[in-house]
Amino acid sequence: IPRTAEEMAAYFLASLLGQANRQSIDHYRDHHVGKPERREAYRASAVMEHAPHAPKSNSYMISIPMQVRAVMVRRVQIIKGDVASQVVQLVAQIFQAIMMGTVFYHLPDATSGYFSRRGILFLALFFGALSAMAEIPALYAQRLIVLRHHKAAMYYPFIESLAHTVVDIPITFIIQGIFSVLLYFLVDLQRTAAQFFIFFLIVFTMTTAMKGFFRLVAAAFKEESSATSVAGIGVLVFSLYTGYTIPRLSIPGALRWITYLNPLGYGFESLMMNKFHTLNGTCSTLVPQGPGYENVSLANQVCTTVGAQPGMPTVDGNAFTYLSYDYKYSDLWRNYGVICAFGVGFLLLLLFATEFNTGSAFDSAITLFKQSKGAGSVGPANVRRDTEKAGPSAPDEDEEKAGPSAPDEDTKQQRRVSDGKKKHAPPDIFTWHHVQYVVPISGGPERKLLDDVSGYVAPGKLTALMGESGAGKTTLLNVLAQRVDVGVVLGDRFINRQLLPADFQAQTGYCQQMDTHLPQATVREAILSSAHLRQSEFVPMEEIRAHVDKCVQMCGLEAYADAVVGTLGVEHKKCTTIAVELAAKPKLLLFLDEPTSGLDSQSAWAIITFLHELADSGQAILCTIHQPSGELFQLFDRLLLLRKGGQTVYFGEIGERSSTMLKYFERNGATPCNKDANPAEYMLDVIGAGATANTSVDWHNVWQFSPEAAALEDELGRIHTEGRSRPVVQTELRTQFATSWKHQTIALTQRNFQAYWRNPTYLMGKLILNIAGGLLIGFTFYNTKDSLQGTQNKLFSFFLATILCVPLSQQMQAVYIDIRSIYEVQERQSRMYKWTALVTSQILVEIPWNIFCSSVFFVCWYWSVGF
């Protein structure tokens, strides 16, 4: 038997297979290498695959206009599928219009309403710009999808931004139109058609341009927190240098140039001139007046408003805007052209940034490790198994994966005998009998997803749940694990013929197909957090740590124990998911949903081998799996096969070399399985579940009247009969959670502090936003005097300070949503902690950072303004 690599190579070359391989290579070289006609034919076929107007030398099959059209259609479909978000935007705009309109309801044309008119025009622009910040999270949510499509050469990345902008224009037009109508007529601005449509045109164009700006910011940064910080500074600059809070003439000379780079300033100037051009306001306050001035004539009085003329009872709006802001009506359309230029410029920069900055913060093949004393032992010498995944490989993993050979039936029998000797108490067996699952369908009849499914999972057995796509594999897994909250579940689920304990979910583990973990935690910390929250709080910490070390060792993660989870490869993330569930010490059962999905053959072999060894230790495992190789399939002990409609086709032993299962199908009319064929693919083809397979046999009906189905009923009856004589599986927890609310809050707070500390981009973004905001406001209102105008400027500095709360809140919102997603997807279903503990911990971890950053803002702002 060859022992070394050289002996294996020599044996292969001397074998018939090696000779056939060399003959195949020689045949290919004779017919394809050095044949110009074949090369030209291949090039011609590649050119023919391109669209008529697409560049033939390009990897994209269709032209840019065709890409734009296709992506626009998809964008419209996305909007139709998420109408709720558009409704929320519309409701928010209506609410703001009604709120601002009622506050400034029917402003008078007198000079007493001049200041309020300025305010409502500023808010009409500012709220549209502020609402455009909502574009940032949506763009980061779709970035990975765009990157995947780009790698598949489906379309240029900038096409997505262009299509998004074009499709969004009519939506923005409708929403801003409703906003403008409500606000305009509630405030009772000048009721002429020209002035209204100019108002609407400027508000709509400004909102579109600002959406382009915030999309550009999102496209320019890899992390959302960085983009939100820059966007927050942008919002502050736009509001500060618009000309409303402080006129351009009053801004310090060193900062006045910023006003010319502010598109919001041009919009505000255009709205001011549009409204004040035809306004001739009646003077509200004439001087001198009062006691002793009763007989003073109008010729000797003057209005107190800027732009008033002696002896005139009205103030011309053009004079008021020119003397107060240096605005001219003749500049209105020039300003509108500048706004359009800003919008086009933002769009072009957006397209450029999208095309050349498609990556994300976690788009990396490098595995990061926590700094520790042992980190130096991790080096390139240990990186042997997968050159695409950075980081060391676990000890002896190569030996475990080498030579995939499924255990034969004798080995399985010896394992079962040894397990029986180890355990004196009979095992707890999970059974389900005549399970049906019906869900309501919107606008139609109910749909039955599971139809009369029965089976059981015994400890020490690795049971596979298989079927074609849509057969109900994951649905059955969720129903059995009590993870469905819609529809009606019928049938029985028992532990030893006893009702399931109240804390069944706490006594089982569930590994989802998506590996959802806190990306900043290390592997050991993720497992320790699960054990700390899902085991009793009275268990000593030394015992918990010892169990965590055991889980790390069982999953082969010793070399990756200090690796950051967010940088792991798919295989090690899957192992971490399994270890997180094992940390809870699942007493009854372990559910896994397609643990090999997305893995290569070597990684899939490692995962299933580990599950097989876990079953050897006495763990009951039910696992869905999709299209396994023949070698992987042999590692399973039992099979539950479903067809579409959630109907059982087979349940029973697989047998050595799948003999038991194959005999069942061949006995009932299936064609014999070729000895070189994959039994897992064979059985799917037999029942008509393959891509091109079809069958005239109703295999569900065959199963119902088969001896195997009768044997299953007998076995379930035997299990239930024996189970009645055994004590009921006791509920180990008095509540649905293993720990108290206080314990959960403390543990989550510690975990969040650690995650924040390892997310410096978020913390630095928060700090920079406060420093930049404080300095901008402070030096813009530098050493404001205690005059009437100075007092007003100080009040505006307070107003602008509160504006910083918007980007700071949105920055925090992104972090909270990420953590909430982990809770919703994984930790809530596992009954790890209460949602109130999560919210409380998030508030507690934000308080010290916000106190520190607010203090820095206060130091930069308070004394600069001159309070």
Side-chain angles (χ1 to χ4, degrees), residues 623-701:
C623 169
T624 65
I625 190 166
H626 185 63
Q627 293 181 336
S629 64
E631 291 80 5
L632 284 182
F633 188 64
Q634 290 301 308
L635 292 176
F636 290 92
D637 298 303
R638 285 198 182 97
L639 169 68
L640 172 56
L641 181 62
L642 301 178
R643 74 172 187 181
K644 275 194 174 180
Q647 296 175 332
T648 303
V649 173
Y650 177 78
F651 179 85
E653 297 287 338
I654 295 177
E656 182 181 0
R657 298 183 179 275
S658 308
S659 57
T660 304
M661 180 200 72
L662 294 177
K663 288 178 182 178
Y664 168 78
F665 285 106
E666 293 172 0
R667 188 178 70 246
N668 289 284
T671 58
C673 178
N674 192 308
K675 65 177 182 178
D676 296 328
N678 181 357
E681 294 180 357
Y682 163 79
M683 66 181 183
L684 292 177
D685 290 336
V686 165
I687 67 173
T692 59
N694 56 75
T695 181
S696 59
V697 179
D698 186 351
W699 287 100
H700 175 60
N701 186 65

Side-chain angles (χ1 to χ4, degrees), residues 436-551:
Q436 301 184 50
Y437 181 45
V438 181
V439 294
I441 301 298
S442 178
E446 294 180 337
R447 178 177 297 175
K448 182 179 290 187
L449 301 183
L450 298 175
D451 186 7
D452 195 21
V453 182
S454 300
Y456 64 94
V457 179
K461 293 288 187 178
L462 182 57
T463 303
L465 176 55
M466 295 184 62
E468 62 182 306
S469 298
K473 303 184 296 294
T474 301
T475 301
L476 177 59
L477 205 68
N478 290 331
V479 168
L480 297 180
Q482 294 186 336
R483 287 184 173 234
V484 294
D485 49 11
V486 295
V488 178
V489 178
L490 303 174
D492 301 317
R493 288 165 290 176
F494 297 121
I495 296 289
N496 303 328
R497 190 49 183 88
Q498 309 292 341
L499 294 178
L500 301 182
D503 61 344
F504 176 74
Q505 289 178 305
Q507 296 192 45
T508 58
Y510 190 102
C511 299
Q512 299 189 23
Q513 184 175 348
M514 300 300 295
D515 303 308
T516 306
H517 304 282
L518 190 66
Q520 293 83 13
T522 65
V523 171
R524 189 186 304 277
E525 290 164 354
I527 302 171
L528 181 62
S529 176
S530 175
H532 196 41
L533 289 168
R534 297 171 69 178
Q535 294 187 29
S536 174
E537 59 187 286
F538 302 106
V539 177
M541 188 50 108
E542 294 76 12
E543 182 179 335
I544 291 179
R545 292 185 183 278
H547 180 66
V548 168
D549 291 338
K550 182 180 178 181
C551 293

Side-chain angles (χ1 to χ4, degrees), residues 237-288:
V237 171
F238 291 146
S239 59
L240 190 58
Y241 296 101
T242 300
Y244 169 66
T245 55
I246 179 171
R248 181 183 300 167
L249 301 176
S250 301
I251 298 175
L255 299 175
R256 192 174 302 167
W257 60 271
I258 301 178
T259 61
Y260 298 100
L261 301 179
N262 184 5
L264 215 62
Y266 294 98
F268 179 69
E269 180 178 350
S270 299
L271 288 184
M272 285 284 291
M273 294 313 306
N274 179 52
K275 293 303 154 195
F276 281 87
H277 176 62
T278 60
L279 185 61
N280 201 20
T282 303
C283 184
S284 300
T285 305
L286 291 169
V287 292

